[in-house]
Amino acid sequence: MQRERKSRRSRLIYFGLALATLIAYEQLRLNDFVYYDDDRYVIDNSHVGSGLTRESVSWAFTTSFFNNWHPLTWLSHMLDVELYGLNAAGHHLTNLLLHVLNTLLLLALLTHMTGRLWRSTFVAALFALHPLHVEAVAWISERKELLSTLLGLLSIWAYVGYARTGGVGRYLLTAAFLALALMAKPMLVTLPLVFLLLDYWPLQRIRLASGYDANCLVCPQRSLAYLLMEKLPLLSLSAFSCIVTLVVQEPGTFIPLHMRAANSVMSYARYLGKTVWPSDLSVLYPHPYMAGGTPWEVWQLAGAGLLLLAISLWVILLGTRQRSEI
């Protein structure tokens, strides 16, 4: 009886979250294409406009158009043209359905890994409804982000299965979904490192010098060296994606590595701030070290670095406590 009540409660949560997401984005059906990337991705792109033909599919896998190699994204837009033509409402509908699917998959994955339904629901709801995600859903050209997120979540799901029960098949499935995710958007090149973080918590695969439990019921524990070696084939996929991305990118304004690193630290802090208080959101945030930009002050970089360090230490301590509780 108790299991049945939990199952009913879970179904209601999934249904409620999906419904809330659909209601929040319902007005998308009234939106048109925008002449900011949508023209080059769909409206004025003759290859996409021809739908799924032999020539267009071949183009999707061989082109570096728009400084990207993401064949699955092109195929997705071509499929939409086959289904809806150039009716923007249909293209928006695909984006919305992908976002709903990603939300429910994230909820299922977090619950599957941690066993905590309500905390997982909160995170999934934040993912579904936070203003920072509006751009990816409401902008047809950002299909690549929705598609890569879907495939990335599926890769994580396959990895969790591999971590718990092993098997070459599950590992290959993890790699296959990762490869597909990178073919939608190379954003997920760091996913193998995310797997390593998941090994620490909640999967508890990392064998620590202290607190090692040979009878751990979560996952078989391994040495850190073993887990790093295990990620090498996955990291090779990421490395290949990075190389392809560098090849297809047109040369632009050169920005030294230390300036890129400084902006990365500040970007983390700024996005954390916008997560708490989503204001001054924009489609594009100009690089502070490019012409016309305002470089970051030393005190700003130091503050952002200390904030990230404090959060990292807090997460490590929290993960350590969670490991001891499971």
Side-chain angles (χ1 to χ4, degrees), residues 61-129:
F61 280 92
T62 56
T63 187
S64 60
F65 179 68
F66 222 171
N67 303 328
N68 278 297
W69 186 76
H70 44 33
L72 290 190
T73 296
W74 292 124
L75 294 178
S76 172
H77 287 300
M78 292 171 187
L79 178 60
D80 270 10
V81 170
E82 291 281 354
L83 295 174
Y84 317 116
L86 291 179
N87 181 358
H91 295 254
H92 282 299
L93 175 63
T94 299
N95 273 22
L96 178 53
L97 292 178
L98 282 171
H99 184 54
V100 172
L101 183 58
N102 287 341
T103 298
L104 299 182
L105 184 56
L106 177 63
L107 173 56
L109 179 60
L110 292 175
T111 305
H112 179 57
M113 286 193 297
T114 67
R116 292 171 169 83
L117 176 60
W118 290 112
R119 296 182 187 183
S120 300
T121 300
F122 174 77
V123 174
L126 198 64
F127 173 87
L129 304 172

Side-chain angles (χ1 to χ4, degrees), residues 129-236:
L129 304 172
H130 198 283
L132 281 176
H133 276 169
V134 170
E135 176 190 310
V137 186
W139 191 9
I140 291 172
S141 296
E142 276 301 285
R143 171 72 52 78
K144 52 186 176 289
E145 182 166 330
L146 299 168
L147 198 57
S148 66
T149 298
L150 172 64
L151 294 164
L153 289 172
L154 290 174
S155 183
I156 295 175
W157 193 288
Y159 180 76
V160 172
Y162 162 77
R164 289 180 171 171
T165 60
V168 175
R170 291 185 179 87
Y171 188 90
L172 292 177
L173 190 62
T174 301
F177 279 128
L178 172 60
L180 292 173
L182 295 172
M183 292 168 66
K185 185 178 182 180
M187 171 181 66
L188 292 182
V189 291
T190 56
L191 190 56
L193 301 181
V194 173
F195 293 153
L196 192 62
L197 293 177
L198 294 177
D199 286 337
Y200 179 72
W201 189 87
L203 300 180
Q204 299 191 45
R205 297 185 70 211
I206 299 179
R207 181 183 300 159
L208 302 177
S210 60
Y212 170 61
D213 182 4
N215 298 313
C216 177
L217 299 178
V218 181
C219 293
Q221 294 186 334
R222 302 283 188 251
S223 67
L224 182 58
Y226 176 94
L227 295 174
L228 288 171
M229 290 291 293
E230 178 187 70
K231 306 298 184 295
L232 289 181
L234 303 177
L235 287 169
S236 67

